[in-house]
Amino acid sequence: MKNPKFSHAFEVVTDLPESLLPLKKLASNYYWSWDHEARELYRSIDREGWDAAEHNPILFINNLSKERIDRLVKDKAFIARLNLCAKHLEEYLTAETWFEKTYPEEVERTKIAYFCAEFGICEGLPIYSGGLGVLAGDHLKAASDLGIPLVAVGLLYNRGYFRQRLNHDGWQQEVYPQYDFYQMPLTLIRDNSDQPLRIEVEFPDRVVTCQVWRADVGRIALYLLDSNVLENQPTDQGITDTLYGGDEEMRIRQEIILGIGGMRALRAVGIKPTVCHMNEGHAAFLSIERIRQFMADHECDFRTARQVIVNGNVFTTHTPVPAGFDLFSPGLLERYMRKNVDATGLDFDEFVKLGRIQPENSGEAFNMAVLAMSNADYVNGVSKLHAAVTRTMFGSRWPGYPEEEVPIGAVTNGIHTMTWVSRRMTTLFDRYLGREWRRNPENPEAWKDVDQIPDEDLWTVLEDQRASLVRFVRKRLQRDIEQRTLNRADSGALNGVLDPRILTIGFARRFATYKRASLMITDRERLKQLLFHPERPIQIVISGKSHPRDDGGKRLIQELVHFINDGGARSRMVFLEDYDMQVARALVQGVDLWLNNPRRPHEASGTSGMKVVPNGGLNCSILDGWWDEGYEPGLGWAIGDRSDVGDEGHQDWLDSRSLYHLLENEIAPVFYHRVENGVPKGWLDMVRRSIMSLGPNFSNNRMLREYTEMYYIPSAQAYHGLASGRLENAYKVLGWRDRVRASWKSVRVARVEDNATTSNPIGKKISIKAYVELGGLTPTDVRVEAVVGKIGPNRELTNSKSTFLSASGKDGERFVYEGTVACDTPGHQGYTVRVVPFHTDINVPSELNLISWE
């Protein structure tokens, strides 16, 4: 017979002696994942066992033998180290934080809820696929360091993202292991009866139930929803099975669980967020559930609730191309969301309009990013270039506004420095910089003494790190070969793979076609000449996964593997299977140079290149994403420039030529130029400048401070301002909006006068007087602005900036506005006058995109 199913369930755990109990305390908080001393502590117990447990401390502890435990109890030095690590954790959790010192009045009344479809905390919690998840994990760690009052919400994927295996022909195959959450640093949330807490979400013909788990990430609680419960039908148990798996219907199910279920989970654990941060559009359905909850709490209608909630939502997009957004067909959307929308009283057709760039275009698919944008007063891209690209994509939602004024800001991504910096570099920095760089990695002053690190000390660390990477690669190759062939790998042959003394380049990322992974083999013979140069050879370590349904990406992997195996490059090039955070750490800590060559401007940000910086690696990249704003001569290298020839094939050829030229004529010569003591002084000077300049600028702490100052605090204050009392302010704002919309057709700039002459000297102040008809509005309802700039070839204003004109009186029924603009730039200048709505509690033009131009 088949194995019987259980009728009763219970947990079994390893019972540790009292002196070892701090091991479990450390394991229960993911703080260990960015604390070198704690990681080394676990590794010192059993290095092979730690790796076999894939750096999951709960599984590792549960696998310890009684003999091993007995030896640890008797090891006084180990017990002392253990207690010191536990003390550091306690001190970290109780120390006063930046947020408490900077915003003491917001500590109790502000709670930010950060929603994301994936979180990369560490490889031992495999619920991430790539950059979005790792960025989200770093976001939580930096929020913890800074003490930001944030909780996070995601999904707990039963089989995670796939594990990658390559067959004998180099074709990617996907393996989906089953994970045991009880063997991870997770806590199942229970109710007052000690039963697992349940939340319910309505689906078309049934209710889906989820349980909730909590992961502690320093000071931050991460709540994860899990649909694998007996109350659900088998198909619904699998909703939280795999990350980005299944079809369009599975995607909408997951996103309903994330957004609507996530808001209900927060309510169930007693959290009412003042700010909800949607990290990508996957969580956008939360806006409807948040409105529904507000309506129930305050007994108000949809419009009033939405007016308040929009002020308390933040949306970050990471997608640089329209095809990257989640789109749902009208029929599928109605089937799954009709009940949830009906619960708010909103007409379903009106709801659909919230997800369209052109609301009245019935042929346009429902876009989750647009839904998030429609219900958030604060929207941002993840680099300056990406924000500009996003403003172009969504500019038609604000038809009267110049593209540069479309209300989409930029917060450039960063990395959580302590997660990614190596232990060797940490020791080096501690010796020469003190420990301030750990506490405030965003502070340039903390890095200024990098200049004082002696060449020999810095070079020794870089050489040791490269050697460690080579050992790691050989060990992984041995494991992969043995898994594929079921035979013992030839260690002698593996010892010929890579050379710890050679310039080592890293290339690792998701294998989407726009990232152009095969650019390096455009000219294979030239690449081989570089790989096997008699005096200045290079070697390349490659890793990354392709989405299971992306055969184009899989072909890129296969093409590279064929070149490595059959093209004579095996000793100089390696493809590492199953890219994850462990592989990423080994690469960014061990390579000399990080290579990134996406098709500009398709890289929203990219953070891998940032991770090599504190490890002493340099960057060679297309001027895209973060490198577009981070690059300066002397900090690294730029492939090509910012021009676009318009033909992708020709652009690829040009960029490959630029890459080969840089490697051969600039990068390798600097690396191999050894003047004294075998140390490449010019290279080390670049390493120091890179660390000092890029280290603080692309720190996640800097990023979180910007989110807090630009979005979280203003959003929380706006939310409180409208949600207070009996919603008097919210009703006033709605009344004002209705009045402005009704009157706007009568608003116009009737006449403009100025004292400009045909030719005006630099520095002259030009006086402007505008006569404006406001219909039924008053001067306090609007702002009148003069927009001045250079005149382009089509009479358009470029590089424009606006100056407020002040109300100075009336001329009959017209209101008079006056002000000055400065002649501060030579050339053909011009200006025009416009009128925009203004209210202290309305974020114009995010919420109200009305504008009247002269």
Side-chain angles (χ1 to χ4, degrees):
M1 64 175 283
K2 292 182 179 180
N3 290 336
K5 297 184 182 294
F6 71 86
S7 299
H8 309 280
F10 50 86
E11 293 179 51
V12 178
V13 298
T14 299
D15 190 19
L16 291 177
E18 185 174 352
S19 61
L20 295 182
L21 288 179
L23 269 180
K24 284 197 172 180
K25 180 181 179 182
L26 283 174
S28 67
N29 192 308
Y30 280 95
Y31 173 74
W32 64 263
S33 69
W34 70 92
D35 180 73
H36 284 294
E37 287 75 17
R39 286 206 301 264
E40 280 299 313
L41 183 80
Y42 285 112
R43 191 177 289 114
S44 71
I45 296 172
D46 179 0
R47 183 178 295 271
E48 289 189 4
W50 177 243
D51 288 340
E54 297 187 320
H55 305 165
N56 173 354
I58 296 296
L59 178 62
F60 174 69
I61 291 169
N62 288 340
N63 286 341
L64 289 177
S65 66
K66 185 177 185 305
E67 292 74 19
R68 178 80 66 176
I69 292 173
D70 289 342
R71 285 202 300 272
L72 291 175
V73 170
K74 297 172 184 176
D75 188 339
K76 293 182 180 180
F78 175 82
I79 298 298
R81 288 174 61 200
L82 172 60
N83 290 331
L84 185 61
C85 286
K87 179 185 176 185
H88 289 165
L89 171 60
E90 189 62 30
E91 290 172 347
Y92 173 85
L93 294 175
T94 56
E96 187 179 25
T97 65
W98 169 81
F99 190 90
E100 290 170 329
K101 290 184 279 191
T102 309
Y103 301 102
E105 70 286 355
E106 298 291 341
V107 171
E108 295 299 327
R109 73 176 200 144
T110 296
K111 179 65 74 174
I112 300 118
Y114 179 86
F115 285 70
C116 191
E118 52 173 304
F119 287 90
I121 308 298
C122 73
E123 58 273 20
L125 183 61
I127 57 170
Y128 63 94
S129 71
L132 177 69
V134 173
L135 184 279
D138 280 10
H139 193 107
L140 303 193
K141 294 169 186 176
S144 173
D145 291 343
L146 296 171
I148 295 169
L150 183 144
V151 297
V153 179
L155 301 181
L156 189 58
Y157 301 99
N158 211 26
R159 296 195 293 166
Y161 198 52
F162 70 90
R163 308 298 295 268
Q164 181 192 53
R165 299 286 180 263
L166 301 185
N167 67 15
H168 293 280
D169 194 37
W171 189 257
Q172 174 181 291
Q173 297 177 314
E174 295 85 34
V175 178
Y176 291 91
Q178 194 87 14
Y179 295 109
D180 182 356
F181 301 144
Y182 292 94
Q183 294 264 54
M184 292 182 178
L186 298 169
T187 301
L188 182 62
I189 303 297
R190 298 181 179 274
D191 60 21
N192 293 333
S193 304
D194 203 35
Q195 295 300 309
L197 183 71
R198 297 288 199 257
I199 61 102
E200 296 181 342
V201 179
E202 296 79 14
F203 273 19
D205 55 355
R206 62 201 185 278
V207 171
V208 174
T209 301
C210 292
Q211 58 189 2
V212 184
W213 301 74
R214 191 186 74 239
D216 291 315
V217 186
R219 299 177 175 92
I220 306 300
L222 166 59
Y223 294 99
L224 299 165
L225 279 73
D226 169 22
S227 70
N228 188 21
V229 297
L230 292 177
E231 293 94 319
N232 291 331
Q233 300 175 16
T235 54
D236 291 334
Q237 291 175 14
I239 292 174
T240 57
D241 200 21
T242 60
L243 173 60
Y244 304 142
D247 55 12
E248 182 187 21
E249 188 162 4
M250 178 58 76
R251 182 62 66 90
I252 198 172
R253 290 175 181 173
Q254 289 186 335
E255 296 187 0
I256 288 172
I257 295 294
L258 175 62
I260 295 175
M263 284 301 300
R264 292 179 184 177
L266 290 180
R267 179 64 62 102
V269 298
I271 295 172
K272 291 185 179 182
T274 46
V275 176
C276 285
H277 185 170
M278 296 170 276
N279 193 44
E280 223 9 302
H282 310 118
F285 288 138
L286 75 81
S287 58
I288 296 301
E289 174 62 15
R290 193 176 183 200
I291 289 169
R292 187 198 66 78
Q293 290 183 6
F294 192 91
M295 291 171 63
D297 291 344
H298 295 270
E299 298 180 345
C300 65
D301 65 347
F302 176 88
R303 288 185 73 233
T304 306
R306 181 169 178 265
Q307 180 62 61
V308 179
I309 292 306
V310 164
N311 280 267
N313 286 343
V314 176
F315 170 52
T316 297
T317 172
H318 298 251
T319 307
V321 290
F325 296 111
D326 280 342
L327 306 176
F328 294 122
S329 61
L332 183 69
L333 183 73
E334 182 167 11
R335 190 151 60 89
Y336 274 92
M337 282 297 293
R338 165 69 78 171
K339 288 182 181 179
N340 293 296
V341 173
D342 285 350
T344 68
L346 177 66
D347 180 79
F348 194 81
D349 288 339
E350 293 301 310
F351 167 70
V352 174
K353 291 178 182 179
L354 294 175
R356 294 183 187 144
I357 296 177
Q358 301 290 344
E360 304 303 326
N361 180 6
S362 60
E364 184 182 328
F366 185 89
N367 187 322
M368 291 293 284
V370 177
L371 176 65
M373 207 171 286
S374 298
N375 288 303
D377 256 4
Y378 301 91
V379 180
N380 71 283
V382 290
S383 69
K384 293 176 182 176
L385 178 59
H386 176 235
V389 169
T390 307
R391 286 193 288 269
T392 299
M393 282 196 289
F394 294 101
S396 57
R397 293 189 76 241
W398 292 271
Y401 280 83
E403 195 171 281
E404 63 268 19
E405 292 189 45
V406 169
I408 298 173
V411 178
T412 302
N413 284 342
I415 62 159
H416 186 254
T417 307
M418 287 307 301
T419 293
W420 298 103
V421 67
S422 72
R423 183 167 179 79
R424 290 186 179 95
M425 288 299 285
T426 297
T427 302
L428 188 70
F429 290 152
D430 284 349
R431 187 187 314 155
Y432 289 101
L433 312 184
R435 295 175 71 91
E436 180 64 15
W437 72 274
R438 293 190 185 213
R439 291 184 289 267
N440 296 297
E442 74 281 16
N443 182 5
E445 284 295 304
W447 298 95
K448 61 182 176 58
D449 286 337
V450 167
D451 255 349
Q452 305 305 311
I453 301 176
D455 286 345
E456 291 76 11
D457 289 4
L458 180 55
W459 184 239
T460 297
V461 169
L462 298 185
E463 295 251 75
D464 289 345
Q465 290 183 161
R466 191 185 319 110
S468 290
L469 172 61
V470 170
R471 288 193 295 272
F472 175 84
V473 167
R474 291 172 179 172
K475 188 174 181 180
R476 288 284 292 217
L477 287 177
Q478 180 178 5
R479 185 202 71 175
D480 294 343
I481 291 170
E482 291 174 356
Q483 283 181 342
R484 193 179 304 118
T485 65
L486 302 180
N487 294 316
R488 180 74 179 171
D490 182 358
S491 59
L494 288 174
N495 287 338
V497 175
L498 304 186
D499 185 327
R501 298 161 298 178
I502 286 178
L503 170 61
T504 303
I505 299 170
F507 181 94
R509 58 203 18 89
R510 182 167 53 90
F511 269 67
T513 50
Y514 77 84
K515 292 179 183 281
R516 301 190 298 180
S518 61
L519 191 75
M520 66 181 78
I521 57 173
T522 302
D523 186 337
R524 300 184 179 205
E525 289 306 312
R526 187 167 183 189
L527 176 59
K528 282 200 284 187
Q529 290 171 9
L530 294 172
L531 293 171
F532 295 99
H533 192 284
E535 298 173 351
R536 299 189 296 274
I538 67 171
Q539 57 193 9
I540 307 173
V541 184
I542 305 165
S543 192
K545 297 178 179 180
S546 172
H547 189 279
R549 293 195 296 274
D550 182 6
D551 283 352
K554 292 181 182 181
R555 277 191 291 272
L556 291 176
I557 294 173
Q558 187 180 49
E559 193 178 351
L560 283 165
V561 171
H562 281 183
F563 174 73
I564 292 169
N565 292 336
D566 305 330
R570 187 177 297 183
S571 64
R572 289 285 189 268
M573 285 180 70
V574 170
F575 186 95
L576 288 183
E577 295 179 26
D578 204 26
Y579 187 45
D580 65 1
M581 290 182 70
Q582 181 185 12
V583 174
R585 265 199 318 277
L587 283 172
V588 300
Q589 292 175 3
V591 300
D592 301 294
L593 186 77
W594 194 258
L595 176 62
N596 188 28
N597 43 238
R599 183 171 286 117
R600 191 178 192 270
H602 291 170
E603 185 83 284
S605 175
T607 56
S608 296
M610 302 175 189
K611 292 163 189 161
V612 304
V613 170
N615 290 298
L618 297 175
N619 277 273
C620 175
S621 176
I622 295 289
L623 290 169
D624 199 6
W626 80 282
W627 195 237
D628 186 63
E629 58 195 84
Y631 168 72
E632 292 179 16
L635 300 180
W637 291 271
I639 302 171
D641 53 29
R642 294 179 174 89
S643 62
D644 182 357
V645 298
D647 179 283
E648 288 187 354
H650 187 51
Q651 187 69 58
D652 292 351
W653 184 86
L654 287 174
D655 289 341
S656 70
R657 300 303 102 181
S658 176
L659 172 60
Y660 295 140
H661 173 81
L662 288 172
L663 290 173
E664 184 174 15
N665 299 300
E666 295 188 31
I667 296 170
V670 175
F671 181 84
Y672 285 106
H673 183 60
R674 316 288 169 88
V675 180
E676 298 176 3
N677 305 323
V679 173
K681 183 169 177 51
W683 185 272
L684 295 180
D685 287 344
M686 290 185 70
V687 167
R688 291 191 188 89
R689 289 197 294 272
S690 171
I691 294 171
M692 293 167 65
S693 175
L694 303 177
N697 287 338
F698 297 97
S699 154
N700 218 255
N701 282 37
R702 182 272 309 156
M703 183 189 92
L704 259 294
R705 286 194 185 206
E706 288 185 11
Y707 272 115
T708 301
E709 293 160 357
M710 293 165 55
Y711 299 137
Y712 291 163
I713 294 301
S715 184
Q717 291 174 343
Y719 174 86
H720 284 304
L722 294 184
S724 60
R726 298 181 176 271
L727 307 182
E728 298 91 346
N729 289 341
Y731 290 124
K732 286 179 183 177
V733 165
L734 278 176
W736 178 85
R737 286 176 64 125
D738 291 342
R739 183 165 56 84
V740 169
R741 283 199 178 276
S743 302
W744 198 256
K745 60 182 179 293
S746 301
V747 174
R748 75 184 191 97
V749 180
R751 190 171 90 250
V752 176
E753 301 170 351
D754 63 52
N755 66 344
T757 58
T758 304
S759 178
N760 301 275
I762 281 191
K764 177 182 177 180
K765 300 284 188 181
I766 294 176
S767 298
I768 298 173
K769 182 181 289 188
Y771 298 82
V772 180
E773 296 174 3
L774 295 181
L777 303 181
T778 69
T780 59
D781 294 324
V782 301
R783 272 185 171 163
V784 178
E785 302 168 344
V787 181
V788 61
K790 297 189 87 170
I791 297 178
N794 297 315
R795 297 176 56 85
E796 77 279 9
L797 291 176
T798 62
N799 301 321
S800 61
K801 55 185 178 181
S802 58
T803 300
F804 295 133
L805 306 182
S806 301
S808 61
K810 290 189 72 175
D811 179 32
E813 295 301 312
R814 294 170 176 171
F815 291 89
V816 180
Y817 287 80
E818 296 184 75
T820 61
V821 295
C823 298
D824 53 8
T825 305
H828 196 197
Q829 301 281 306
Y831 76 90
T832 188
V833 175
R834 69 184 182 188
V835 187
V836 295
F838 174 74
H839 193 288
T840 55
D841 293 323
I842 290 284
N843 197 349
V844 177
S846 289
E847 287 188 60
L848 203 58
N849 62 351
L850 302 175
I851 191 167
S852 180
W853 290 91
E854 178 188 353

